Amino acid sequence: MDTELTPRQTFFNLPPDKQQRVLEAAVQEFSERGYQQASINTIVSRLNIAKGSIYQYFDSKKSLFLFIFNQGIAMVRQMLKQVKKESQGEDFFTRVRKSLMAGVEFIDKHPALYRVYLRILFERDSPLREDFLQTIRLFSREYILSLLEEGQARGEVRKDLDPVLAVFILDAVLDKFLQNYALPYLDPALELNEKKGLEEKIDSIVTMLRQGFAAADGI
Amino acid sequence: MDTELTPRQTFFNLPPDKQQRVLEAAVQEFSERGYQQASINTIVSRLNIAKGSIYQYFDSKKSLFLFIFNQGIAMVRQMLKQVKKESQGEDFFTRVRKSLMAGVEFIDKHPALYRVYLRILFERDSPLREDFLQTIRLFSREYILSLLEEGQARGEVRKDLDPVLAVFILDAVLDKFLQNYALPYLDPALELNEKKGLEEKIDSIVTMLRQGFAAADGI
DNA sequence: TTTTAATATGACCACCTGGTCATATTATGG
DNA sequence: CCATAATATGACCAGGTGGTCATATTAAAA
């Protein structure tokens, strides 16, 4: 229970490229099998190192996992911060569109890392799972909320929307879109595995959210 | 590989209440631990029957799981069919609202079964997972699509919407809402664990989808 | 009651898991 | 070259898994 949550010094003494190889192999395994089913044996075997070695780097499977996941959270956080900064002053719906596209880009860069997140979402026994999810949820919601409030202040967004529910809808659509992008088999009809037409689909989705589903006169 | 996918005759010879007890215990275990981590040992131990017995009823863990999941799919299918029938002729947005409320009711009646579905969503190694998900996805999408098309024909829904993307948005919001209802810790701010105010929240969400996020003049 | 068929049982099997540790190998610095 | 510290190694451990099967128990038929 009182395992260290950070790698051991030995890990940091490793040549940087070996550090990276180790982390990549672990991310790969966690993304393929989830936390519980991920096998230390498989990881070390793929790395061609002895089993004992990985326990020189990390105290436990849990500690290895936590280090990876924390790194991932930090990366997402930084990414959102940058999108927000770069789009400052732009229209609300443009910012939503850009946030979605940034998410797509993130998954392109770190597909396995994103799949680890998807795994943990519904795996009851990942360590500190609820803490992690609340952390992610919290800053994801707060990010969207801040965009929304700026949009309302600028008069681009209806002011009578319940912020919690509006954020819920946006978050749901964004999150599901990225899930489908990462795992295209979830909804083959969307054809999100095809790069072509991706931006147009994002545009359409944001437009629908903007103007709603109800028929205006004569449409 | 060539295991039977149905229970053995012995299972059907069992008194109906024992059949149900066995299935309930299995659903419970699968919902708590997912497919791979679910333990036959735990199931038989909770049922106070010998391990060998459950292998008189089912050929394998896989066969037990498949039987349960197929049953669940059939139940959802029937539920949606009924909602569609009962709401025939009503306004599109009313039908969406009623579908969502039917989903909430379903989860109230079969919470563990719904959690099994959530587990399978992101567990790569559940048997026939992709087949199941495609089946579920397909009839879920087709259900929403049929409502949408009727709504467009009646002039209640914009006719310039891309059906695939419109269905995606509706499906995303409905699915996420039910996920959050089943697992309230996912987004505590929604307070979906409180029965009070649930209908109002559903109303608000449907209203937002209807009229969109963009500010009309003076709002 | 006797025979036969159906069902229940749990010790047992091979296999895999995360983790340990005494030992071997390599690097470092005097 | 030697001594010491750091790192790498893999046989080994206890504990869990899905699944089997000879045997015991119960039910049905004769």
Side-chain angles (χ1 to χ4, degrees):
Chain A
M1 287 298 151
D2 46 11
T3 47
E4 252 333 306
L5 265 54
T6 48
R8 297 188 152 168
Q9 185 54 46
T10 307
F11 176 74
F12 294 114
N13 293 344
L14 252 37
D17 63 304
K18 184 162 185 183
Q19 289 184 32
Q20 211 185 342
R21 272 185 63 236
V22 171
L23 294 181
E24 276 171 9
V27 169
Q28 188 61 32
E29 175 68 5
F30 283 124
S31 78
E32 284 175 7
R33 326 264 306 253
Y35 175 74
Q36 282 286 352
Q37 260 223 274
S39 161
I40 297 289
N41 289 329
T42 302
I43 294 174
V44 297
S45 144
R46 280 188 192 159
L47 284 168
N48 279 318
I49 65 174
K51 192 173 188 172
S53 291
I54 209 160
Y55 284 94
Q56 307 260 37
Y57 309 152
F58 298 89
D59 283 304
S60 62
K61 182 184 182 179
K62 177 178 169 185
S63 152
L64 170 59
F65 175 79
L66 291 181
F67 182 66
I68 284 173
F69 208 86
N70 267 322
Q71 267 202 158
I73 288 183
M75 289 163 74
V76 173
R77 217 176 206 133
Q78 197 197 342
M79 184 265 280
L80 286 183
K81 196 182 235 172
Q82 202 186 338
V83 172
K84 187 171 172 182
K85 189 176 150 198
E86 286 180 1
S87 69
Q88 202 148 34
E90 296 190 57
D91 171 77
F92 170 74
F93 298 100
T94 303
R95 296 180 92 180
V96 170
R97 183 169 56 77
K98 288 190 173 175
S99 301
L100 197 42
M101 285 174 41
V104 167
E105 230 176 280
F106 186 89
I107 294 175
D108 282 340
K109 270 189 203 148
H110 316 284
L113 194 59
Y114 182 74
R115 266 177 283 135
V116 173
Y117 159 71
L118 291 183
R119 287 307 204 108
I120 268 42
L121 249 176
F122 296 99
E123 215 171 274
R124 181 158 291 188
D125 21 36
S126 305
L128 301 183
R129 165 169 157 280
E130 302 212 358
D131 291 344
F132 276 139
L133 290 186
Q134 288 207 358
T135 304
I136 294 178
R137 252 34 231 171
L138 191 66
F139 80 72
S140 168
R141 269 188 289 130
E142 283 187 350
Y143 171 76
I144 296 178
L145 183 63
S146 69
L147 294 192
L148 189 80
E149 282 171 345
E150 284 188 38
Q152 285 179 321
R154 291 163 152 272
E156 297 155 1
V157 178
R158 299 178 67 101
K159 292 193 173 79
D160 60 344
L161 302 182
D162 178 336
V164 170
L165 296 180
V167 166
F168 164 73
I169 291 179
L170 290 168
D171 187 50
V173 171
L174 265 50
D175 206 39
K176 275 265 179 185
F177 186 88
L178 295 178
Q179 284 180 23
N180 279 282
Y181 181 71
L183 310 174
Y185 67 81
L186 283 177
D187 189 347
L190 275 180
E191 295 170 352
L192 290 192
N193 41 350
E194 298 180 20
K195 262 286 193 270
K196 191 167 60 89
L198 195 70
E199 284 201 38
E200 286 79 1
K201 281 167 189 162
I202 293 178
D203 278 356
S204 288
I205 288 172
V206 173
T207 300
M208 285 189 215
L209 289 173
R210 191 179 66 221
Q211 63 190 16
F213 284 65
D217 295 329
I219 301 186
Chain B
M1 287 296 152
D2 46 11
T3 46
E4 252 336 304
L5 265 54
T6 48
R8 298 188 151 167
Q9 185 53 46
T10 307
F11 176 74
F12 293 114
N13 294 342
L14 251 38
D17 62 305
K18 184 164 185 182
Q19 288 183 33
Q20 211 186 342
R21 271 184 64 235
V22 171
L23 294 181
E24 276 171 10
V27 168
Q28 188 60 33
E29 176 68 5
F30 283 124
S31 78
E32 284 175 7
R33 327 262 307 253
Y35 174 75
Q36 283 285 352
Q37 259 223 277
S39 161
I40 297 289
N41 289 330
T42 301
I43 294 175
V44 298
S45 144
R46 281 189 192 160
L47 284 168
N48 279 317
I49 65 175
K51 191 173 187 173
S53 291
I54 208 159
Y55 284 95
Q56 307 261 37
Y57 309 151
F58 298 89
D59 282 303
S60 63
K61 182 184 182 179
K62 177 179 169 184
S63 153
L64 170 60
F65 175 79
L66 292 181
F67 182 66
I68 284 173
F69 209 86
N70 267 322
Q71 268 202 159
I73 288 183
M75 289 164 72
V76 173
R77 215 175 208 135
Q78 198 198 342
M79 183 265 279
L80 286 183
K81 196 183 235 171
Q82 201 186 339
V83 172
K84 188 172 171 181
K85 190 176 150 199
E86 285 179 1
S87 68
Q88 203 148 34
E90 297 190 56
D91 173 76
F92 170 74
F93 298 100
T94 304
R95 295 180 93 181
V96 170
R97 184 169 54 79
K98 287 190 173 176
S99 303
L100 196 43
M101 283 173 44
V104 167
E105 231 175 280
F106 186 88
I107 294 175
D108 282 340
K109 269 190 204 148
H110 315 284
L113 194 59
Y114 182 75
R115 265 178 284 136
V116 174
Y117 158 72
L118 291 183
R119 287 306 205 107
I120 268 44
L121 249 176
F122 295 99
E123 213 170 276
R124 179 158 292 187
D125 21 35
S126 304
L128 301 183
R129 165 168 158 280
E130 303 212 358
D131 292 343
F132 277 139
L133 291 186
Q134 287 205 0
T135 303
I136 294 178
R137 251 35 228 172
L138 191 66
F139 79 73
S140 168
R141 269 188 292 130
E142 283 186 350
Y143 171 77
I144 296 178
L145 184 63
S146 69
L147 295 191
L148 190 79
E149 285 172 343
E150 284 188 39
Q152 286 179 321
R154 291 164 153 271
E156 297 155 3
V157 178
R158 299 179 66 101
K159 292 194 173 79
D160 61 344
L161 302 182
D162 178 336
V164 171
L165 296 180
V167 167
F168 163 75
I169 291 179
L170 290 168
D171 188 49
V173 172
L174 298 197
D175 207 39
K176 274 265 179 183
F177 186 87
L178 294 179
Q179 284 180 24
N180 279 281
Y181 180 71
L183 310 174
Y185 68 81
L186 283 177
D187 188 348
L190 276 180
E191 295 171 352
L192 291 191
N193 41 351
E194 299 181 20
K195 263 285 193 268
K196 192 166 60 89
L198 195 70
E199 284 201 37
E200 285 79 1
K201 279 166 190 164
I202 293 178
D203 279 356
S204 288
I205 288 172
V206 174
T207 299
M208 284 188 216
L209 289 172
R210 191 178 67 220
Q211 63 188 16
F213 284 66
D217 293 329
I219 301 185

